[in-house]
Protein backbone atom coordinates (compact mmCIF):
# COMPACT_ATOMS: atom_id res chain seq x y z
CA UNK A 1 0.00 0.00 0.00
CA UNK A 2 1.13 3.57 -0.70
CA UNK A 3 -0.15 6.92 0.56
CA UNK A 4 0.32 10.36 -0.93
CA UNK A 5 0.34 13.02 1.78
CA UNK A 6 -0.08 16.60 0.57
CA UNK A 7 0.84 19.36 3.01
CA UNK A 8 -0.48 22.81 2.10
CA UNK A 9 -0.06 24.74 5.35
CA UNK A 10 2.98 26.29 6.95
CA UNK A 11 4.39 24.91 10.19
CA UNK A 12 3.62 26.46 13.57
CA UNK A 13 0.66 28.67 12.59
CA UNK A 14 -1.73 25.73 12.67
CA UNK A 15 -1.40 22.07 13.52
CA UNK A 16 -2.29 20.64 10.09
CA UNK A 17 1.32 20.14 8.99
CA UNK A 18 2.10 18.56 12.37
CA UNK A 19 -0.82 16.15 11.96
CA UNK A 20 0.30 15.35 8.40
CA UNK A 21 3.82 14.50 9.53
CA UNK A 22 2.57 12.37 12.42
CA UNK A 23 0.23 10.57 9.98
CA UNK A 24 3.10 9.97 7.55
CA UNK A 25 5.43 8.68 10.27
CA UNK A 26 2.76 6.37 11.67
CA UNK A 27 2.04 5.05 8.18
CA UNK A 28 5.73 4.32 7.66
CA UNK A 29 5.91 2.50 11.01
CA UNK A 30 2.96 0.37 9.87
CA UNK A 31 4.82 -0.59 6.69
CA UNK A 32 2.97 1.70 4.30
CA UNK A 33 4.99 3.53 1.65
CA UNK A 34 4.59 7.30 1.79
CA UNK A 35 5.14 10.10 -0.70
CA UNK A 36 4.93 13.61 0.75
CA UNK A 37 4.30 16.63 -1.46
CA UNK A 38 4.79 20.11 -0.01
CA UNK A 39 2.50 22.58 -1.75
CA UNK A 40 1.74 26.28 -1.28
CA UNK A 41 2.83 27.36 2.25
CA UNK A 42 3.60 23.71 3.00
CA UNK A 43 7.04 24.27 1.45
CA UNK A 44 8.02 26.04 4.68
CA UNK A 45 7.96 22.65 6.43
CA UNK A 46 11.26 21.83 4.68
CA UNK A 47 13.00 25.15 5.44
CA UNK A 48 16.42 24.20 6.75
CA UNK A 49 16.91 26.85 9.44
CA UNK A 50 13.92 26.15 11.65
CA UNK A 51 14.62 26.27 15.36
CA UNK A 52 11.33 26.53 17.25
CA UNK A 53 11.20 26.79 21.02
CA UNK A 54 8.58 25.06 23.18
CA UNK A 55 6.79 23.42 20.23
CA UNK A 56 7.49 20.26 18.22
CA UNK A 57 10.15 20.71 15.56
CA UNK A 58 8.43 19.95 12.26
CA UNK A 59 11.76 19.78 10.48
CA UNK A 60 12.92 16.93 12.70
CA UNK A 61 9.67 15.08 11.98
CA UNK A 62 10.18 15.57 8.23
CA UNK A 63 13.78 14.33 8.50
CA UNK A 64 12.48 11.30 10.41
CA UNK A 65 10.01 10.56 7.63
CA UNK A 66 12.77 10.81 5.01
CA UNK A 67 15.02 8.55 7.09
CA UNK A 68 12.15 6.04 7.34
CA UNK A 69 11.79 5.92 3.56
CA UNK A 70 9.34 8.66 2.60
CA UNK A 71 9.90 10.37 -0.73
CA UNK A 72 9.49 14.12 -0.27
CA UNK A 73 9.03 16.66 -3.03
CA UNK A 74 8.28 20.36 -2.80
CA UNK A 75 6.51 22.49 -5.36
CA UNK A 76 9.31 24.36 -7.13
CA UNK A 77 7.24 27.41 -8.13
CA UNK A 78 5.83 27.62 -4.58
CA UNK A 79 9.33 27.49 -3.07
CA UNK A 80 10.66 30.04 -5.54
CA UNK A 81 7.79 32.45 -4.86
CA UNK A 82 8.62 32.27 -1.14
CA UNK A 83 12.38 32.64 -1.60
CA UNK A 84 13.08 29.07 -0.45
CA UNK A 85 14.55 27.42 -3.54
CA UNK A 86 17.99 27.15 -1.92
CA UNK A 87 16.85 26.74 1.70
CA UNK A 88 15.31 23.28 1.75
CA UNK A 89 16.78 20.36 3.66
CA UNK A 90 18.65 17.55 1.98
CA UNK A 91 16.31 14.83 0.80
CA UNK A 92 13.60 17.20 -0.45
CA UNK A 93 13.44 17.53 -4.21
CA UNK A 94 12.01 20.55 -6.01
CA UNK A 95 9.18 19.37 -8.23
CA UNK A 96 6.29 20.35 -10.48
CA UNK A 97 2.60 19.59 -10.71
CA UNK A 98 3.53 16.66 -12.94
CA UNK A 99 5.30 15.11 -9.94
CA UNK A 100 2.24 15.66 -7.77
CA UNK A 101 0.05 14.00 -10.41
CA UNK A 102 2.48 11.05 -10.46
CA UNK A 103 2.36 10.78 -6.65
CA UNK A 104 -1.45 10.68 -6.73
CA UNK A 105 -1.60 8.21 -9.64
CA UNK A 106 0.88 5.87 -7.95
CA UNK A 107 -0.86 5.94 -4.56
CA UNK A 108 -3.65 3.86 -3.17
CA UNK A 109 -4.89 6.76 -1.05
CA UNK A 110 -4.29 10.51 -1.05
CA UNK A 111 -4.77 12.76 1.96
CA UNK A 112 -4.38 16.54 2.11
CA UNK A 113 -3.60 18.59 5.20
Amino acid sequence: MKFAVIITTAPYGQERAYSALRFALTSLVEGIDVNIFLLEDGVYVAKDTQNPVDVPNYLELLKGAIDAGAVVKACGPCAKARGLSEDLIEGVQLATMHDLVDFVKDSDRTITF
Side-chain angles (χ1 to χ4, degrees):
M1 176 158 288
K2 185 182 288 187
F3 291 158
V5 177
I6 303 168
I7 301 175
T8 63
T9 57
Y12 314 114
Q14 300 175 5
E15 293 184 15
R16 288 187 190 129
Y18 180 58
S19 296
L21 292 167
R22 289 184 9 214
F23 175 85
L25 284 164
T26 302
S27 299
L28 290 160
V29 166
E30 292 188 9
I32 299 167
D33 293 330
V34 176
N35 291 329
I36 299 172
F37 198 90
L38 306 174
L39 185 65
E40 301 166 356
D41 283 343
V43 296
Y44 285 112
V45 173
K47 185 171 176 12
D48 68 358
T49 57
Q50 296 177 44
N51 190 21
V53 177
D54 298 328
V55 295
N57 188 319
Y58 291 49
L59 189 58
E60 294 304 318
L61 294 172
L62 184 62
K63 287 178 182 177
I66 292 169
D67 290 345
V71 175
V72 181
K73 295 186 179 183
C75 171
C78 301
K80 183 177 179 183
R82 290 159 177 81
L84 298 178
S85 297
E86 304 295 322
D87 298 328
L88 303 180
I89 63 166
E90 185 176 328
V92 176
Q93 305 167 37
L94 289 177
T96 67
M97 280 295 152
H98 296 285
D99 296 294
L100 177 55
V101 168
D102 288 342
F103 270 6
V104 172
K105 286 190 325 187
D106 293 341
S107 297
D108 297 297
R109 300 280 188 272
T110 300
I111 186 166
T112 303
F113 289 88

